[in-house]
Amino acid sequence: MKTEFDNLRLNPAHQYEADSNGDKQVVKIYCGELLIAKKLKIKKTIRYFGIKNYQQYLAN
């Protein structure tokens, strides 16, 4: 999902915000007001989350 997450983040139609607090980092990707994906990094662990059918936002 890393490559798909980067494609969503770099898409000019989407907005993203990053928040960092100590060892925890969160990156959220929005399409309008809808949260479509999130990356959570705690220390060296990285987890990716996406909404159901997030693939439809890859081409938009």
Side-chain angles (χ1 to χ4, degrees):
M1 171 124 181
K2 179 190 182 323
T3 303
E4 292 174 334
F5 184 85
D6 288 337
N7 290 342
L8 288 169
R9 183 176 55 84
L10 297 173
N11 188 328
H14 302 147
Q15 303 81 36
Y16 72 94
E17 65 181 41
D19 186 26
S20 186
N21 186 3
D23 291 337
K24 183 177 179 181
Q25 179 186 19
V26 179
V27 179
K28 297 177 183 177
I29 302 174
Y30 296 92
C31 183
E33 295 290 322
L34 179 65
L35 177 65
I36 57 175
K38 178 169 73 170
K39 176 175 114 175
L40 178 62
K41 181 177 180 182
I42 300 175
K43 295 186 181 180
K44 294 183 180 182
T45 303
I46 300 174
R47 305 225 19 216
Y48 297 94
F49 302 92
I51 63 170
K52 188 182 260 189
N53 299 324
Y54 71 90
Q55 294 91 347
Q56 72 185 10
Y57 294 98
L58 290 170
N60 292 347

